[in-house]
Amino acid sequence: MSNDSEIYSYLRSVSCCRICCLRYLNGRADDFLNVDEGLKKRDISLNSTDPENPPKRIRENVCVACLGVFESALIDSLLDQIRLSSDFKEYECQGFTSSIFLPIVFHLRQLSLWIGLLEKFPEKFKKDSSAPDVTVKDALKMVLNRKLEEALGKQFSVNGVAINIYFKYEKETQELQLLEKVKPGVFVDRKSRKHCRKEFITRNAFEKHFTPESLDLEQYKKHISVPPTIQDDSIVLEKINFTGPTMFLAGRYNKVSRELSQTPWVLDGKRKMENSVQEIMASVVGPYFRVPENSLIFSSSGREDVDVRCLGEGRPFVLEIPNAFKDYLEGSTAGELEKAIDKSKLISVKDLQLVDREELTHIKHGEENKRKFYRALCVLEKPVTLEVLKALNMDEPFVIDQWTPLRVLHRRPLLSRPRTVHSVKACACKTNERTIVIDVVTQAGTYIKELVHGDFGRTKPSFKSIIGQAIDIHALDVMAIDLDWPKRLRR
């Protein structure tokens, strides 16, 4: 008899269901969905048994490993509840994913079976190796996801609506409490902790303290049955609920107002601005995905001050949309959302598109290595001269030392930050002899206003120190941001 047949015969003899037998034979989704074929592939006869190890029981009991979770009646009932659920029908999602919550007692029963296999087949299994089975949860997900695709007419997708399935077992606490007799020290330590959770034992604690190599197996078998005991009670379905996916909507925005903050500006409990870039977007995007506007999370590649416009190709941004009721955005609909946002006359957006979570690295990492392009309208103390223009036209990069500006010191730590200014170009204005336009390319994170006027010497060098006279900013615009993301759409 082959090893697979011997293992199968042993597991059947201790009242494992056929799917759980396949779990210990490296089964996969196709095997669990068609058990007969899965057994045939392993040259296991469906009708014969090992004459030396006949089954202990003829009738089919509740499986000692899965407690009946793979029984067709339970799975069919589960599928019907999901398919007919009015809550599920609320989600306009093209895909679904599943989360399964099983009782911790499954870990205990897996351990007892594993110890049984170690003793029965010492030449095949080693005490210090990991259990050879596909876990109940993984096998159940393989079965359910395939059946859910058929029942719901939707594809499995990590971005789909999450179907959360909870099971319970009435005798769980009764069985788990036996662990205290095996390793009482584990539970004395847990009980002494003030913030210990209410469960008798957590999964992490079980996996840490209860493994074959860490146990006195004789002590274990004195209190806990190896293999697991047969029970009359099956596992039962406790509840099903649904969670919408977290979607990520990316794009670029232009801000044309000099009286608009990027995010809600609240100081000492009072709003300083009536609106913000984030809120204008959220008021349009939230209703489409059917989520509250204030639940959206805004991120962008840097930020501009309230009185600074953002022009050119715009600033890349992402809106994180939790528990969305839709997991798709068609191009034509994205265009309609853009037009709706543009109606504010304060900002405009383009290139709206859904992106994967992994793409957020473009926004969140390497920010200081990016370049930003600014245009500043500045006023001098004296009329512009040729010497001033020559001094402020610099093609070679230089480094400034910039202490946290006084104007943001209430919300930023006091630090000295070196920043690279890559280039400066200046030209005089014909209409005003004391006005000058300066184009600056800098490392992200540079405070441009302080670069101009010096912030009482806290930025060195500054344009003030370079030209030797007072200079201040009248208006500032962001002209470009060195980040080619997200991809360009609908030009």
Side-chain angles (χ1 to χ4, degrees):
M1 182 180 287
S2 68
N3 274 338
D4 282 355
S5 293
E6 290 177 349
I7 293 168
Y8 177 78
S9 293
Y10 168 74
L11 291 172
R12 289 293 285 162
S13 75
V14 299
S15 290
C16 275
C17 70
R18 298 198 304 162
I19 288 181
C20 282
C21 291
L22 281 169
R23 292 197 298 108
Y24 281 88
L25 299 174
N26 297 311
R28 290 295 179 261
D30 289 340
D31 300 322
F32 301 138
L33 288 162
N34 190 332
V35 177
D36 286 351
E37 285 300 315
L39 294 173
K40 284 180 182 178
K41 282 193 296 187
R42 291 161 177 80
D43 296 323
I44 296 173
S45 173
L46 304 183
N47 299 313
S48 65
T49 59
D50 182 352
E52 296 181 5
N53 298 283
K56 293 181 180 178
R57 294 174 179 267
I58 303 301
R59 71 180 181 85
E60 194 79 16
N61 298 295
V62 174
C63 175
V64 297
C66 73
L67 295 169
V69 78
F70 292 109
E71 289 183 3
S72 57
L74 178 61
I75 290 178
D76 290 345
S77 172
L78 170 63
L79 294 172
D80 284 342
Q81 287 187 53
I82 295 169
R83 183 172 54 83
L84 299 174
S85 168
S86 58
D87 289 341
F88 179 74
K89 292 176 181 178
E90 288 290 312
Y91 291 89
E92 301 176 57
C93 292
Q94 296 177 333
F96 74 90
T97 185
S98 62
S99 295
I100 297 171
F101 301 87
L102 295 172
I104 297 175
V105 73
F106 277 78
H107 291 269
L108 174 58
R109 287 180 163 265
Q110 178 205 44
L111 176 61
S112 287
L113 264 179
W114 179 212
I115 293 171
L117 286 167
L118 287 169
E119 294 183 339
K120 184 71 175 177
F121 305 99
E123 72 289 346
K124 180 174 177 60
F125 301 118
K126 301 303 177 185
K127 189 176 181 181
D128 57 353
S129 63
S130 58
D133 63 316
V134 177
T135 67
V136 174
K137 178 183 282 191
D138 288 344
L140 185 57
K141 289 192 79 166
M142 292 180 200
V143 172
L144 277 181
N145 288 340
R146 192 76 66 84
K147 289 181 175 291
L148 282 168
E149 285 185 333
E150 296 173 1
L152 304 177
K154 297 178 184 289
Q155 291 295 309
F156 176 85
S157 168
V158 293
N159 291 326
V161 55
I163 303 171
N164 307 305
I165 306 165
Y166 298 80
F167 293 93
K168 67 178 180 179
Y169 178 57
E170 293 298 337
K171 294 183 179 179
E172 177 176 45
T173 301
Q174 176 183 329
E175 291 192 23
L176 291 177
Q177 283 176 339
L178 297 173
L179 292 169
E180 191 167 9
K181 296 180 179 180
V182 178
K183 274 193 172 184
V186 172
F187 299 92
V188 170
D189 184 50
R190 281 181 57 78
K191 290 173 182 176
S192 67
R193 296 178 192 169
K194 293 181 180 179
H195 302 293
C196 192
R197 289 196 274 177
K198 293 181 179 179
E199 319 83 310
F200 182 74
I201 188 170
T202 64
R203 283 179 172 78
N204 286 340
F206 186 96
E207 291 170 358
K208 178 180 178 180
H209 296 289
F210 294 93
T211 59
E213 66 271 20
S214 69
L215 291 170
D216 178 339
L217 295 185
E218 291 306 314
Q219 174 75 0
Y220 182 90
K221 290 191 292 182
K222 190 183 298 184
H223 301 287
I224 298 174
S225 176
V226 174
T229 56
I230 297 170
Q231 295 287 352
D232 293 327
D233 295 328
S234 301
I235 196 169
V236 296
L237 180 63
E238 181 179 18
K239 63 180 178 180
I240 304 171
N241 60 34
F242 308 95
T243 308
T246 296
M247 307 304 296
F248 298 92
L249 182 69
R252 294 177 176 83
Y253 77 82
N254 292 114
K255 180 167 84 79
V256 296
S257 170
R258 295 195 187 278
E259 296 180 345
L260 186 68
S261 58
Q262 189 187 65
T263 55
W265 187 7
V266 180
L267 192 61
D268 297 328
K270 296 181 179 180
R271 286 195 66 115
K272 304 294 288 185
M273 288 283 169
E274 291 183 7
N275 216 334
S276 66
V277 172
Q278 174 182 326
E279 289 167 301
I280 293 171
M281 292 184 191
S283 67
V284 174
V285 173
Y288 172 78
F289 289 96
R290 293 170 54 198
V291 300
E293 297 171 22
N294 59 6
S295 69
L296 274 62
I297 301 170
F298 179 89
S299 302
S300 66
S301 179
R303 61 189 302 142
E304 66 283 320
D305 289 340
V306 169
D307 59 349
V308 176
R309 298 185 302 180
C310 183
L311 307 178
E313 288 299 307
R315 187 182 297 277
F317 71 90
V318 173
L319 280 173
E320 181 177 337
I321 309 162
N323 199 13
F325 278 77
K326 294 183 180 180
D327 62 357
Y328 62 92
L329 177 65
E330 296 174 348
S332 58
T333 305
E336 292 172 5
L337 295 180
E338 291 172 356
K339 291 177 182 177
I341 293 171
D342 292 353
K343 288 180 180 179
S344 70
K345 305 298 183 183
L346 301 174
I347 66 169
S348 63
V349 297
K350 59 186 174 185
D351 302 327
L352 279 184
Q353 58 197 278
L354 294 176
V355 298
D356 293 331
R357 183 186 294 271
E358 291 72 25
E359 291 194 55
L360 302 193
T361 55
H362 295 288
I363 289 283
K364 295 181 176 180
H365 298 293
E367 176 65 24
E368 291 191 358
N369 296 323
K370 298 168 187 171
R371 295 188 181 194
K372 304 290 176 72
F373 300 75
Y374 298 89
R375 176 165 292 170
L377 178 63
C378 300
V379 179
L380 297 172
E381 184 180 33
K382 303 172 185 177
V384 179
T385 64
L386 185 59
E387 288 72 19
V388 167
L389 291 176
K390 286 182 178 179
L392 289 178
N393 275 274
M394 294 172 275
D395 295 327
E396 295 298 320
F398 61 95
V399 177
I400 63 171
D401 183 39
Q402 195 163 57
W403 284 90
T404 305
L406 293 172
R407 63 187 172 91
V408 299
L409 201 51
H410 65 285
R411 55 186 171 88
R412 297 284 172 86
L414 178 60
L415 295 172
S416 174
R417 300 173 179 84
R419 288 291 184 265
T420 299
V421 179
H422 295 284
S423 66
V424 182
K425 293 183 179 180
C427 62
C429 294
K430 294 181 180 180
T431 56
N432 189 321
E433 62 180 7
R434 292 174 50 231
T435 303
I436 189 171
V437 175
I438 305 176
D439 288 334
V440 189
V441 182
T442 70
Q443 178 184 354
T446 304
Y447 291 99
I448 302 301
K449 294 174 181 177
E450 286 67 27
L451 172 62
V452 172
H453 58 63
D455 198 24
F456 302 101
R458 298 166 65 83
T459 294
K460 296 179 181 179
S462 65
F463 294 167
K464 177 182 177 181
S465 66
I466 289 171
I467 65 175
Q469 64 168 290
I471 180 174
D472 205 354
I473 281 191
H474 180 72
L476 179 64
D477 293 332
V478 180
M479 302 304 295
I481 294 163
D482 186 20
L483 176 58
D484 189 20
W485 181 89
K487 65 183 179 182
R488 309 298 173 116
L489 303 171
R490 297 179 294 279
R491 285 190 174 274

